[in-house]
Amino acid sequence: MNLHQAEFNLSPELTRLFSVFVLLGVAVMLVGLGMAPERVWPSLLLVSYFVLGMGLAAVVFIALQYVTNGAWGVAIRRVPEAMTVFILAGALGLAVVFLAHRSLYSWTAAAHDAGNTAAWFKRFWLTWPFFLARAVVYLLVWIAFARAIARNSQLQDRDGDVAYTHRNARLSALFLVVFGITLWLASYDWLMSLEPEWFSTIFGMYSFSGLFASGIAAIIIFAVALQKLGPLEGILREDHLHDLGKLLFAFSTFWAYIWFCQYMLIWYTDIPEETGYFVKRMQGTWRPLFLLNFMLNWTVPFLALLPRATKRTPSLLVKVAVIVLLGRWLDLYLIILPPFMGHKPSFGAWEFGLMLGAIGASALLFFRALRRAAPVPMRDPWLSDSLHHHQ
Amino acid sequence: MAEAYPVLHEPWLVGSKSPAQVTEDVCSTMERKPTAVWWIGLAVSLFFLGVGVVAVTYQIATGIGTWGLNNTVGWAFDITNFVFWIGIGHAGTLISAILFLFRQRWRTSVNRSAEAMTIFAVICAGIFPVIHMGRPWLAFWMFPYPNYRGPLWINFRSPLVWDAFAISTYFTISLVFWYLGLIPDLATVRDRTQSGWRRKLAGVLCLGWNSSYRTWQRYETVYMLLAGLATPLVVSVHTIVSWDFATAVIPGWHTTIFPPYFVAGAIFSGMAMVLTLMLVARKAMGLEDFITQRHVGAMCKIVLATSGIVALAYATEFFTAFYSGNPYEQFAFWNRAFGPMGWGYWIMVSCNIVIPQLLWSRRVRSSFVAVFVIAILVNVGMWFERFVIIVTSLHRDFLPSNWMSYTPTIIELATLAGSFGLFFTCFLLFCRFVPVIAIAEVKGILRHDQRHEAPRAHTLAGHAPAPATALRGSAEEVHP
Amino acid sequence: MSRRLLLGVFGKEQDILGVTSAARKSGYKIVDVYAPYAVHGLDHAMGLGPSRLPRVCFALGLFGAAVKVWFEFWTTAQDWPINVGGKPWNSLPAFVPVTFEVMVLFAGLSTVFAFFYVSGLWPGKKAAIVDPHVTNDQFILVLEQSDAAFDISRVKRLFEAFNVLRIEERLAEEAR
């Protein structure tokens, strides 16, 4: 193991594989835009938001570590740092959707909710230029924070100045505040307004819970991959995995809690303007998916991660993480697609192609971003604590 | 590099204490004669407790007409106090269970008293719904038991039944958790005391604890399991409390964000109460070495973080009311801020959101006077939060002909004062008769504290990157 | 039957950790270790397996939840169904909160009582105190002088390498 090895190259086979994924994805998307645009546009929104979310979760993960002085994660911090590239990638996907197909949002059609005088605020909030301006602000703010935090961490590699740690702790606290507000509003804008008549105050929190759980799952997968491929060999220990596993367990359960709170309250009060959302998602063939969503995101990970052994065995933990990522995809599918698909959900080449493309692109981007710095933040003052981290 | 040995943080405990000193420091506070401050505090608390007992007796004997409620405002003071006290309790569980799972070692200095606070707060909270029933002697109707009315079962779909189960489970588990933590310390008390009632009592209550490591190992497992159970439990309790409101269809009550928002608010107010009590206790009991600057700083940060979550929830509610396009929602929130009871809303916003922002400043965090004042204001603000949610949502409902106002009666105020009397009486007695610091747990972090501060400074001072040998070093090197 | 025991009294956490693991590696029979707090890693040093109490917790928690969910269904949907607010007889989402509380109650209490049972703790039990210092600041390793191969001078040397404060020999009646 050579810590000074700044360059890590993905093997040509894997590079080729992921490139094929990307090409397939792009090809499917282009064909699909001609043949089935009503399915490809929402799917593109889905994968873009998915990828963006992993990037944001990575920044939140780093920020939480700085704010809480959580030393244990320092040794693997370059993984989430590299994952921040996903914010840019997701932003690009969203930009394509917003600029090329704004009619995805039904409220862009004229005369939306015209008869309702109480909807003046909604009409003002959901106007296209304002919507775009907000999107630009959210994305720029996230990118700026992600870059600043990652940059400080990388600069610290040169001289080991503790000032970078303090600076990042302050930046992280600020980021968490800004992130709370922007993610809440962004999830209202991009997801909730797909059905503009529906609203749920917990939606921002719901959106965060899934986003963070999937981010932890992605960190686990990438960290274990780097352990197998070399850069984190001998650095990523069982104890780190155990902690990541516990986090996955906790946030998967947090997701279930938020999910249940939203469902239970809407089920219980049975107010027509709210229940419409769930009626659409529980009718006909949607119902099994609705239940599967809860299984993939909570039941399976919860039961699988209860024993200590799962959290400490890389191969098992990765399997659980993959299930959580699938669950995340399904969760977003159930948020985004029902208004466009009517009574029957469909899954075919279009959805699968975009998924494949997103996987390939994420992997290529991640490993590329990883090369920007040493695979371990070598002169972080907490590094030795993290390397000898004990349960 | 700015300094040769930059300090990342201060140690948790002041002075390098030995285990024997910890025992001595903590136990001696119980063996000394109580201070005058303690007696005065107890006298004041007992006075308010007496006021409360009189008020409760009077209202039960007379009937619920002694309250300021009316047809429109059917829930007000009692329920506000109930939610307030339950919320106070939650910080104790946060410190004892959640911070344990997150391995935040600083909790050891405050967890014992925070857990005690939880128990007393839940007792105070539990009194209010029982009084509020109007016929408290029928309180057992809340539980399902075979009866001669059918048997007619309770309605398990009712959030009020959920409440009864949640509060009683919460109380039981908190009590057991607290007692479990106390067992080894009771054995310490037994072994250092020569004779007398203290030794006898501690001897009985410590269940024959003899410090065997085989028992310690199981003890640690049980402690971890209970922490794992208490964590979702504490979340569930305030979630269920929030459902008392959110399962209704009343604008201002029915909103899906209530569960996480209530949980965050509960921890917010509870942590402020812990801060208040700790700042007093460390002075009054001479525990300055155990409850340090760093503990106060850490708790301030939790207060700040939860204040942020609460602020986000306020904003979400307000925003969504206007986004929804629902005129009733919009009116409820407009009325909350600018209606006749708007003053309550602005007290809530200033105390819960504006003032805690001062804690961003390190200087404020290190001034115990400032922290104490902020903590008290947060508690005032959180009390008003519940009052605002409950009363302003009710007092102007769908039919303007129903609109009413609400003013508490002297009896209701006396009951609230009585609950504070009960809380502080219990807490002061606890400070006298129980080790206020978890002795065995603090001993467990002594060496950690001393071991970890030194080598870090060394790593920082080193100009070379951490050598590969250190990276490969096995666990034994740090844990010899 | 009585056993001959050898007690080593130590003053520091690292010493008791070191001597315990050394004694175990040399094949001595460790009767018990007494410590004023839960020393991290001593279970490994003593070679104790993980506790089985989590299983009790899981099983009883599951049992409590199952019984409760059945009871709620039975009372609300079968024994005396009452229409409240137009909710379905089987209002599963509304049963979740109480089921959860009962699960936690069962799991928590059963774990604690199981712990008291297996560790032999009960109110008023006369504690078998090895030395009053073990609840204050000293650690004691108890070895059994099990067979003829037990070489007391070698053990003493081992103890001394870890800064032993005091060595005692005791006879113990066979008892728990």
Side-chain angles (χ1 to χ4, degrees):
Chain A
M1 178 189 69
N2 179 8
L3 271 181
H4 300 287
Q5 163 199 358
E7 292 272 303
F8 160 72
N9 290 310
L10 199 57
S11 70
E13 299 84 49
L14 280 174
T15 313
R16 214 173 302 134
L17 179 76
F18 291 131
S19 308
V20 170
F21 279 13
V22 174
L23 288 177
L24 267 174
V26 171
V28 166
M29 186 177 88
L30 291 177
V31 176
L33 286 181
M35 289 175 66
E38 77 288 353
R39 278 171 64 183
V40 171
W41 283 118
S43 281
L44 186 59
L45 174 67
L46 193 166
V47 293
S48 307
Y49 189 76
F50 188 120
V51 171
L52 172 84
M54 289 196 298
L56 287 175
V59 191
V60 175
F61 182 85
I62 300 169
L64 285 176
Q65 296 261 325
Y66 273 113
V67 170
T68 58
N69 280 345
W72 66 270
V74 169
I76 55 156
R77 198 176 63 218
R78 285 288 139 84
V79 174
E81 276 176 24
M83 278 167 64
T84 56
V85 72
F86 296 156
I87 302 179
L88 211 58
L92 202 69
L94 288 176
V96 171
V97 177
F98 295 159
L99 295 177
H101 192 72
R102 67 155 146 177
S103 58
L104 190 66
Y105 293 89
S106 63
W107 50 264
T108 53
H112 165 73
D113 218 358
N116 183 356
T117 49
W120 60 272
F121 181 76
K122 188 191 284 182
R123 277 196 296 275
F124 153 75
W125 188 256
L126 298 179
T127 44
W128 195 246
F130 191 23
F131 176 95
L132 285 185
R134 285 198 305 271
V136 170
V137 171
Y138 307 147
L139 293 169
L140 284 183
V141 165
W142 295 337
I143 291 169
F145 270 106
R147 294 201 96 132
I149 293 174
R151 206 180 121 77
N152 279 334
S153 160
Q154 284 158 17
L155 284 176
Q156 197 172 42
D157 279 3
R158 285 202 223 139
D159 54 9
D161 191 345
V162 190
Y164 289 116
T165 302
H166 292 309
R167 205 173 299 158
N168 259 356
R170 280 194 293 273
L171 262 180
S172 298
L174 195 62
F175 168 75
L176 290 173
V177 172
V178 172
F179 174 77
I181 300 167
T182 46
L183 183 79
W184 154 48
L185 291 175
S187 60
Y188 269 37
D189 278 1
W190 301 342
L191 303 181
M192 203 165 91
S193 85
L194 286 167
E195 285 160 278
E197 68 288 349
W198 183 75
F199 58 90
S200 168
T201 42
I202 207 173
F203 197 80
M205 197 79 82
Y206 176 52
S207 169
F208 168 73
S209 63
L211 176 148
F212 199 55
S214 70
I216 297 164
I219 292 174
I220 290 173
I221 293 174
F222 284 123
V224 172
L226 287 183
Q227 186 193 33
K228 292 269 179 296
L229 295 172
L232 288 186
E233 194 191 336
I235 290 175
L236 180 76
R237 294 156 31 115
E238 276 185 349
D239 296 294
H240 296 121
L241 286 176
H242 193 156
D243 271 348
L244 285 169
K246 281 200 268 187
L247 271 184
L248 187 61
F249 179 83
F251 278 92
S252 159
T253 305
F254 180 66
W255 176 90
Y257 164 68
I258 299 287
W259 184 95
F260 180 72
C261 286
Q262 171 166 293
Y263 175 74
M264 214 284 294
L265 285 175
I266 290 177
W267 172 86
Y268 198 100
T269 46
D270 209 10
I271 299 172
E273 62 187 4
E274 288 183 344
T275 42
Y277 178 87
F278 282 112
V279 168
K280 226 176 265 173
R281 284 153 180 82
M282 291 176 75
Q283 60 183 349
T285 344
W286 286 98
R287 185 179 275 269
L289 285 184
F290 186 75
L291 297 173
L292 184 66
N293 187 29
F294 196 70
M295 305 285 265
L296 288 183
N297 276 301
W298 183 66
T299 320
V300 175
F302 177 83
L303 291 176
L305 291 174
L306 264 184
R308 183 181 151 91
T310 328
K311 286 173 277 201
R312 300 179 76 86
T313 317
S315 57
L316 287 177
L317 191 60
V318 164
K319 280 189 191 110
V320 178
V322 169
I323 289 173
V324 170
L325 286 182
L326 280 177
R328 169 70 172 164
W329 185 89
L330 182 59
D331 194 28
L332 286 175
Y333 181 84
L334 286 173
I335 291 172
I336 296 174
L337 271 299
F340 304 99
M341 284 187 169
H343 291 289
K344 260 180 74 178
S346 34
F347 180 81
W350 314 124
E351 286 80 14
F352 187 68
L354 283 176
M355 206 193 217
L356 218 57
I359 294 170
S362 304
L364 286 181
L365 284 170
F366 173 81
F367 287 110
R368 233 182 95 83
L370 197 69
R371 289 164 52 180
R372 269 193 231 135
V376 172
M378 290 178 304
R379 303 181 70 175
D380 188 292
W382 297 103
L383 182 65
S384 82
D385 279 37
S386 176
L387 290 168
H388 300 123
H389 171 56
H390 253 267
Q391 241 354 100
Chain B
M1 213 177 287
E3 310 159 57
Y5 297 97
V7 178
L8 275 173
H9 53 63
E10 306 130 44
W12 288 116
L13 305 177
V14 174
S16 25
K17 293 195 183 292
S18 70
Q21 268 170 296
V22 175
T23 311
E24 178 61 32
D25 286 359
V26 178
C27 291
S28 62
T29 58
M30 301 188 298
E31 290 153 6
R32 282 196 294 265
K33 281 215 155 41
T35 57
V37 180
W38 186 86
W39 280 115
I40 295 169
L42 189 69
V44 174
S45 306
L46 281 173
F47 169 74
F48 280 107
L49 177 58
V51 168
V53 170
V54 171
V56 171
T57 315
Y58 174 73
Q59 62 193 299
I60 290 176
T62 314
I64 62 172
T66 52
W67 304 336
L69 299 182
N70 50 52
N71 278 342
T72 307
V73 184
W75 276 10
F77 227 68
D78 279 355
I79 305 299
T80 302
N81 296 336
F82 158 68
V83 182
F84 172 76
W85 278 119
I86 277 287
I88 294 292
H90 281 21
T93 319
L94 175 93
I95 290 176
S96 59
I98 302 181
L99 296 183
F100 175 78
L101 296 180
F102 278 105
R103 289 193 303 267
Q104 296 287 316
R105 292 171 191 276
W106 59 271
R107 62 180 275 290
T108 52
S109 288
V110 288
N111 71 333
R112 171 70 42 75
S113 37
E115 287 166 34
M117 185 195 79
T118 295
I119 292 164
F120 306 144
V122 176
I123 293 174
C124 291
I127 290 171
F128 285 100
V130 174
I131 299 174
H132 195 76
M133 287 172 184
R135 285 186 282 174
W137 51 93
L138 296 178
F140 63 95
W141 281 9
M142 290 301 281
F143 292 94
Y145 61 95
N147 55 62
Y148 290 110
R149 298 183 293 273
L152 182 62
W153 299 107
I154 56 174
N155 176 21
F156 280 112
R157 304 182 193 94
S158 162
L160 304 182
V161 164
W162 306 345
D163 248 352
F165 276 86
I167 307 295
S168 37
T169 302
Y170 186 45
F171 180 73
T172 314
I173 294 287
S174 299
L175 192 66
V176 168
F177 200 20
W178 186 67
Y179 178 59
L180 189 75
L182 211 48
I183 293 173
D185 290 359
L186 287 172
T188 304
V189 171
R190 174 199 65 197
D191 290 348
R192 69 175 260 120
T193 319
Q194 292 309 320
S195 59
W197 63 271
R198 201 188 286 273
R199 184 186 163 90
K200 277 209 185 91
L201 192 65
V204 171
L205 289 177
C206 75
L207 310 180
W209 180 270
N210 66 354
S211 282
S212 149
Y213 194 79
R214 289 176 199 280
T215 313
W216 268 121
Q217 190 214 12
R218 296 191 192 107
Y219 174 89
E220 287 280 282
T221 307
V222 174
Y223 203 89
M224 198 261 298
L225 289 172
L226 275 189
L229 289 169
T231 301
L233 177 65
V234 69
V235 172
S236 83
V237 170
H238 228 67
T239 296
I240 288 173
V241 168
S242 83
W243 285 342
D244 289 346
F245 308 102
T247 51
V249 291
I250 294 170
W253 279 14
H254 174 68
T255 173
T256 46
I257 204 173
F258 255 27
Y261 155 38
F262 265 51
V263 173
I267 289 168
F268 178 51
S269 66
M271 200 49 87
M273 185 61 102
V274 176
L275 268 174
T276 316
L277 292 180
M278 288 304 107
L279 287 174
V280 175
R282 75 190 282 279
K283 274 268 169 270
M285 310 291 295
L287 296 171
E288 281 92 343
D289 291 352
F290 292 92
I291 300 164
T292 59
Q293 186 70 59
R294 210 174 152 203
H295 292 100
V296 174
M299 289 192 273
C300 283
K301 285 178 191 166
I302 296 182
V303 168
L304 191 56
T306 42
S307 162
I309 300 176
V310 168
L312 199 60
Y314 293 169
T316 308
E317 276 193 316
F318 226 97
F319 176 88
T320 312
F322 285 89
Y323 175 90
S324 72
N326 179 329
Y328 303 104
E329 286 281 333
Q330 289 172 4
F331 175 77
F333 282 92
W334 188 260
N335 182 49
R336 197 173 269 189
F338 304 109
M341 291 198 180
W343 50 272
Y345 184 82
W346 295 109
I347 292 178
M348 158 187 125
V349 169
S350 351
C351 291
N352 292 351
I353 300 179
V354 181
I355 291 167
Q357 302 310 315
L358 290 171
L359 294 173
W360 283 99
S361 147
R362 187 186 290 269
R363 269 189 49 214
V364 173
R365 287 202 302 267
S366 53
S367 153
F368 289 160
V369 178
V371 171
F372 186 73
V373 172
I374 291 173
I376 298 234
L377 287 176
V378 166
N379 272 314
V380 171
M382 282 308 291
W383 188 89
F384 271 96
E385 179 193 295
R386 280 64 174 251
F387 184 77
V388 163
I389 290 173
I390 294 169
V391 177
T392 63
S393 305
L394 286 178
H395 85 125
R396 289 181 153 185
D397 67 5
F398 295 102
L399 285 176
S401 61
N402 279 346
W403 290 6
M404 295 281 261
S405 191
Y406 166 79
T407 340
T409 62
I410 190 84
I411 292 296
E412 285 170 294
L413 290 168
T415 315
L416 175 61
S419 68
F420 275 96
L422 174 62
F423 180 77
F424 283 105
T425 306
C426 292
F427 195 80
L428 286 168
L429 292 177
F430 155 77
C431 286
R432 254 326 274 159
F433 297 108
V434 180
V436 278
I437 302 235
I439 305 172
E441 288 197 54
V442 168
K443 285 177 191 165
I445 70 158
L446 287 178
R447 210 167 79 83
H448 184 90
D449 217 23
Q450 288 152 17
R451 177 181 61 216
H452 270 231
E453 302 314 318
R456 182 165 307 120
H458 176 73
T459 325
L460 290 177
H463 285 269
T469 47
L471 294 177
R472 290 216 190 89
S474 60
E476 274 67 30
E477 287 176 32
V478 246
H479 292 262
Chain C
M1 186 193 135
S2 64
R3 299 187 295 174
R4 289 169 65 81
L5 301 179
L6 191 72
L7 279 69
V9 182
F10 299 85
K12 286 212 170 77
E13 180 185 320
Q14 58 266 43
D15 291 335
I16 191 75
L17 276 168
V19 77
T20 309
S21 89
R24 188 165 72 90
K25 277 183 197 131
S26 320
Y28 299 119
K29 192 176 168 203
I30 299 172
V31 176
D32 210 338
V33 178
Y34 295 88
Y37 56 89
V39 179
H40 194 79
L42 197 51
D43 46 348
H44 289 290
M46 286 170 74
L48 297 178
S51 161
R52 280 166 305 176
L53 286 165
R55 295 184 207 172
V56 175
C57 184
F58 184 78
L60 269 287
L62 204 62
F63 172 76
V67 168
K68 190 65 200 175
V69 91
W70 167 81
F71 183 68
E72 286 178 87
F73 177 76
W74 179 75
T75 53
T76 314
Q78 293 192 326
D79 191 44
W80 189 328
I82 294 174
N83 186 338
V84 184
K87 299 269 176 299
W89 301 136
N90 176 18
S91 302
L92 194 59
F95 295 161
V96 169
V98 173
T99 305
F100 175 81
E101 300 302 327
V102 172
M103 180 201 79
V104 169
L105 193 64
F106 264 64
L109 291 184
S110 60
T111 311
V112 170
F113 285 119
F115 162 64
F116 288 161
Y117 176 75
V118 292
S119 303
L121 298 173
W122 65 85
K125 179 191 181 184
K126 182 124 181 57
I129 306 167
V130 183
D131 185 312
H133 280 291
V134 290
T135 56
N136 185 9
D137 62 344
Q138 288 183 353
F139 306 84
I140 296 183
L141 170 65
V142 184
L143 297 181
E144 183 175 348
Q145 307 188 16
S146 44
D147 46 31
F150 192 91
D151 180 352
I152 213 153
S153 58
R154 268 184 58 203
V155 179
K156 280 183 176 161
R157 244 176 291 136
L158 175 75
F159 281 8
E160 271 149 20
F162 290 95
N163 314 313
V164 69
L165 300 176
R166 210 165 66 238
I167 299 177
E168 280 178 35
E169 278 193 80
R170 289 196 196 174
L171 274 180
E173 287 304 315
E174 188 60 71
R176 230 189 103 91

